[in-house]
Amino acid sequence: MKKKNLDTLCVQGGWSPKNGEPRVLPIYQSTTFKYSSTEEMADLFDLKADGYFYTRLANPTNDCVAAKINALEGGVGCVLTSSGQAANFYAVFNICEAGSHFITSANIYGGTFNLFGTTMKKLGIEATFVDPDASDEEIEAAFRPNTRCFFGETISNPGGNVFDIERFAKIAHKHGVPLIVDNTFATPINCRPFEWGCDIVTHSTTKYMDGHATQVGGAVVDSGNFDWEKYADKFPGLCLPDESYHGLTYTKAFGKKAYITKLVSQLMRDLGSIPAPMNCFLLNLGLETLHLRMARHCENAMKVAQWLEANPKVAWVNYCSLPSSKYYTLAQKYLPNGSCGVIAFGLKGTREDAVKFMDNLDFIAIVTHVADARTCVLHPASHTHRQLSDEQLKEAGVAPDLIRLSVGIENVEDIIADLEQAMEKM
Ligand SMILES: *Cc1c(COP(=O)(O)O)cnc(C)c1O
């Protein structure tokens, strides 16, 4: 049969029940799995045979949902994690160790900014934050002999800037390292980074993929395209024997799946950031409507962005699908069918005015969340990005007056009416 379309994969991917099996993906809420002989169990531990033995390493519910996300992104393997933070940490840490360096776009989520700039530094891994709008020469100057990867977000949270995936894939590959892209906001419905040369995709599945704010989760997807062996000196963890696995070499034993296999059999084994099967079940319900929700999020957000742009109380709007956006050309290239529901904008007036506006909202809630079915709003400078100094805020592409509006899938006239009444009371 021909390759299925994304809509069909959203609904049916990952779980194909056999005769008499449940139509709906079951929740295997079990830590462990039974075998009759010592030898069968030993083969699993030696990675000689495939099978379940302990949920920290693999669980059937989790695997089915991972397989769906893998199919949506077009990868060779996917691992689900307990959060988006864990996904980004694993994605980088799988190929970095004390003494390594990596390069990241500065326009990234606040949590990732802290992880890369503070916590990973304590592990001896240093990140250089670059302005993604800088010239190739400036960006290339950040590479060092110990650089191990390049990182960026397809659409940055909260700024809404678009990452030039093809350009950065070329630069990363020229320097012998993979490009890792956090595709949380675009989702594979609107952009599939592997088609533009990206090597590894990460997600916070907490956002659109779940879409209903019911679970915190993450995913790492491997394209299988990066040639680790060609740069074996940079990636000893993949290309040299792993003493913690009886001297097995991942690239030799698993070929295109070397990276994702190491991520499970080493990082997940030792660090254990697995999602609960129940959470994967909830995530799967969300994924079944991802294609419908993304279309509606984009349609609603476009109308809201146009309304904001025409509003005299609004100082500026950044929504990459608007022709006035600095990122419109990149959005047309990477996100031709729509970007996401998240709009960044600033109001004329003081920081207090922005706070008053948000407090006046009726059903649009102030929540530390984004990208779900319900419209919500957040002021990053006083919420998610509180830990960052003004300087770091600027570096992360977050203006102090930036309001992040996550447009949901309600009736758009009601959303606009709520924004309008809150502005009138300002
Ligand atoms: C929310 C988010 C994360 C972190 O994900 P959690 O699931 O909250 O840990 C990472 N990247 C992006 C782009 C996000 O929006």
Side-chain angles (χ1 to χ4, degrees), residues 83-85 88 109 112 153 157 182 184-185 204 206-207 216-217 370:
S83 68
Q85 286 298 109
N88 281 329
Y109 173 66
T112 313
E153 292 175 3
N157 177 5
D182 180 331
T184 297
F185 271 16
S204 164
T206 317
K207 315 294 166 55
V216 173
V370 64

Side-chain angles (χ1 to χ4, degrees), residues 96-151:
C96 285
E97 57 194 17
S100 302
H101 165 261
F102 69 103
I103 303 171
T104 173
S105 161
N107 290 173
I108 52 172
Y109 173 66
T112 313
F113 197 97
N114 279 328
L115 168 68
F116 289 173
T118 308
T119 299
M120 290 189 73
K121 202 169 173 180
K122 291 179 189 160
L123 299 174
I125 299 167
E126 199 185 339
T128 298
F129 293 82
V130 295
D131 176 358
D133 294 333
S135 68
D136 286 4
E137 292 69 41
E138 284 173 273
I139 292 192
E140 289 195 42
F143 281 89
R144 303 176 190 171
N146 60 340
T147 302
R148 295 294 174 259
C149 62
F150 199 116
F151 181 94

Side-chain angles (χ1 to χ4, degrees), residues 10-11 13 25 27 61-70 72 78-83 187 203-220 275-290 293:
C10 279
V11 183
L25 172 64
I27 306 169
T61 307
N62 299 12
D63 279 4
C64 287
V65 184
K68 179 180 279 191
I69 293 173
N70 186 52
L72 288 168
C78 169
V79 172
L80 299 185
T81 57
S82 54
S83 68
T187 82
H203 280 280
S204 164
T205 62
T206 317
K207 315 294 166 55
Y208 288 119
M209 281 195 170
D210 173 302
H212 304 77
T214 59
Q215 58 89 45
V216 173
V220 181
M278 177 73 194
N279 280 3
C280 293
F281 173 83
L282 292 170
L283 169 59
N284 189 50
L285 286 184
L287 286 167
E288 289 185 6
T289 56
L290 181 67
R293 288 183 290 106

